[in-house]
Amino acid sequence: MISLWKTWFAVLWKSEHLWAYYLVLIALFISQLFFTLNEQMAMIPFYGLFISVMTLIILRLHNRFHMKKIVRSMSTHPFREGLHQFLFCGICALPAIVLLFVLTKRLYAHTPNSLLIYCIVLLTLFAITFACACAILPFNYAMICCVLVYFILFVMHGYQLERIVYIAPTLNFMYPDYPNISNMIAVTLVCIIMFCIYLRGYYDWEHNKKILLYTVGGILIISYLFVPFSQWQIEKKMVAANYKEVDIQQIPIRYKGISEKNAIRYGQVVTDIIEVIRQRGIKVDVEEVVVTWQNDIPAGPNVEHIIEKQGGSIMINPYSPKFLDFNYGYNIVRDLIGLFVENEKMDKEIERQVMLENKNHLFTQTKINSIVHKPEYKK
């Protein structure tokens, strides 16, 4: 394997396309340093695009220089050949992987490295296998497919990605501290299915081995379809479940579909905001907080807002782990203050005070700085 990779590197070393790829990748990373936090997060799919484009370049050079003959002199099994190619593309993608890790570690300074690495590995796995599957098409069409898919991921970044939760490889970058397990499993299965498509379309198989490949592919497709079905069953049970209750500063917090820990965090942020608002002489009447996990994604502008006030009750209806993350995901302070205060200037002052006091340690210093250092939030 090592001698084979040395031969591939010797071929790639002379490719001006690959060097141009690395230069543009570095330019992307440097340019992001001048963007806002949300803009940097939105541009993460472009790292996947660069990995996919690099994979297509490698596969194209592989064909142009007739590398199959060299490969088959060392390995005769199609799966082994494809695995060698996949691992080689992964090694060539290391610069993009390292730069993406540096970027995400700067964006999510308080997130464990293990969660960030898993998000990056999942995106890399998708990028390589997607390019491999596209490689069975003519090169120009494969490039168009890659650009189109990652442009869609870029445009849909944010709440809209929840509509394609089972195929979106960048979803967990929105809230890495609260990974969506269903998304991880589903995208991993999609990657393996795309790799099987690549093996079938790119290599010659004996009849018996071809039947085995079809069988494995069928099992993978069934497993993939089982993921949304099992999630639907879980959500169905949550809807039928009874509310649980916990008290925060004499305000009952009723909840279902989320953990007690997250229910307490919702209660703490509500009580912190109420206390600051009352200090400013504004009357606030809150009898209870009701948190209900909802299965359906709201339509229209409601997709970004999950909070409303009904009499003395505050109704919170999260539908994504994004709304459990108050630092990198959802600005719950802004929406809660909006229920009680209509003066925009006072809104900013209250939000700033809540962040600075941070009584229950709900917010990281990165989140606090992103709020209090904005010109419109300063006194």
Side-chain angles (χ1 to χ4, degrees):
M1 182 185 294
I2 300 300
S3 59
L4 175 62
W5 288 355
K6 285 181 179 179
T7 304
W8 278 341
F9 276 123
V11 172
L12 290 174
W13 191 264
K14 298 178 181 179
S15 172
E16 67 280 2
H17 299 91
L18 198 67
W19 287 111
Y21 154 80
Y22 285 126
L23 289 175
V24 174
L25 178 64
I26 293 172
L28 170 67
F29 177 78
I30 294 174
S31 67
Q32 284 186 276
L33 301 179
F34 303 98
F35 295 153
T36 65
L37 178 66
N38 289 334
E39 289 171 342
Q40 292 182 62
M41 291 169 63
M43 293 186 70
I44 286 176
F46 288 112
Y47 286 86
L49 173 61
F50 277 105
I51 295 173
S52 291
V53 169
M54 182 210 62
T55 302
L56 288 175
I57 292 173
I58 291 173
L59 295 178
R60 188 187 187 194
L61 292 172
H62 186 272
N63 289 336
R64 180 189 298 177
F65 292 98
H66 305 290
M67 298 295 289
K68 284 186 178 181
K69 295 180 180 179
I70 300 176
V71 173
R72 289 178 180 175
S73 67
M74 302 179 182
S75 172
T76 58
H77 196 285
F79 177 76
R80 197 173 293 119
E81 292 179 33
L83 186 59
H84 283 181
Q85 193 77 274
F86 173 84
L87 293 175
F88 181 73
C89 292
I91 291 175
C92 292
L94 282 176
I97 294 171
V98 172
L99 289 178
L100 183 55
F101 177 76
V102 172
L103 172 69
T104 53
K105 191 59 188 174
R106 191 166 60 86
L107 294 177
Y108 312 110
H110 301 277
T111 300
N113 290 340
S114 57
L115 293 177
L116 292 179
I117 290 172
Y118 193 92
C119 291
I120 293 170
V121 168
L122 191 64
L123 176 59
T124 303
L125 181 65
F126 177 88
I128 295 176
T129 54
F130 178 67
C132 287
C134 289
I136 64 178
L137 301 172
F139 184 78
N140 290 339
Y141 291 119
M143 286 289 291
I144 291 172
C145 288
C146 287
V147 172
L148 182 62
V149 165
Y150 290 104
F151 180 73
I152 291 173
L153 290 174
F154 167 72
V155 171
M156 296 186 69
H157 176 79
Y159 301 100
Q160 297 298 334
L161 275 181
E162 300 293 340
R163 301 188 186 280
I164 53 172
V165 63
Y166 299 111
I167 56 173
T170 57
L171 180 71
N172 284 298
F173 283 105
M174 294 195 302
Y175 38 78
D177 289 323
Y178 295 85
N180 188 316
I181 303 302
S182 295
N183 169 266
M184 289 182 169
I185 295 173
V187 173
T188 301
L189 289 171
V190 168
C191 292
I192 300 174
I193 291 170
M194 290 191 297
F195 188 64
C196 288
I197 293 172
Y198 160 69
L199 292 176
R200 173 62 187 90
Y202 215 72
Y203 297 99
D204 297 326
W205 290 76
E206 297 176 3
H207 180 69
N208 292 339
K209 292 179 180 178
K210 189 184 297 183
I211 293 176
L212 178 61
L213 182 64
Y214 287 147
T215 302
V216 172
I219 293 173
L220 290 170
I221 292 173
I222 293 172
S223 300
Y224 171 76
L225 295 175
F226 181 75
V227 175
F229 175 76
S230 61
Q231 186 63 31
W232 176 73
Q233 290 291 333
I234 293 172
E235 292 172 351
K236 188 177 178 181
K237 290 181 180 179
M238 287 194 301
V239 171
N242 295 323
Y243 281 94
K244 298 178 182 179
E245 187 171 313
V246 61
D247 288 346
I248 305 294
Q249 295 186 16
Q250 299 181 340
I251 295 180
I253 313 297
R254 297 172 56 221
Y255 66 95
K256 71 175 179 178
I258 65 171
S259 66
E260 181 179 352
K261 177 182 177 181
N262 287 320
I264 290 174
R265 293 176 73 248
Y266 273 118
Q268 288 174 334
V269 73
V270 169
T271 54
D272 287 353
I273 290 169
I274 290 175
E275 183 176 342
V276 173
I277 291 176
R278 285 174 174 167
Q279 289 174 4
R280 295 173 180 268
I282 300 174
K283 184 179 180 182
V284 178
D285 178 27
V286 176
E287 299 173 359
E288 65 173 356
V289 176
V290 181
V291 185
T292 309
W293 185 272
Q294 60 179 340
N295 303 329
D296 298 326
I297 301 174
N302 291 330
V303 72
E304 297 186 18
H305 302 286
I306 60 166
I307 299 177
E308 62 178 344
K309 192 172 183 296
Q310 297 180 359
S313 301
I314 295 178
M315 316 299 294
I316 305 177
N317 302 302
Y319 60 84
S320 162
K322 184 180 180 71
F323 296 103
L324 304 177
D325 188 343
F326 302 157
N327 289 294
Y328 307 122
Y330 179 50
N331 192 342
I332 188 172
V333 177
R334 175 200 61 198
D335 283 1
L336 280 171
I337 294 173
L339 297 178
F340 307 104
V341 182
E342 296 181 359
N343 185 296
E344 185 175 350
K345 182 179 179 181
M346 187 174 291
D347 281 357
K348 308 290 187 197
E349 293 174 355
I350 293 173
E351 183 174 5
R352 186 175 188 276
Q353 184 176 341
V354 171
M355 290 288 183
L356 287 174
E357 291 181 357
N358 197 21
K359 290 184 178 180
N360 290 291
H361 307 290
L362 299 173
F363 309 103
T364 63
Q365 192 60 44
T366 303
K367 175 67 174 181
I368 295 171
N369 291 340
S370 69
I371 295 296
V372 302
H373 289 168
K374 287 183 178 181
E376 63 267 28
Y377 283 78
K378 292 182 180 180
K379 293 183 178 180

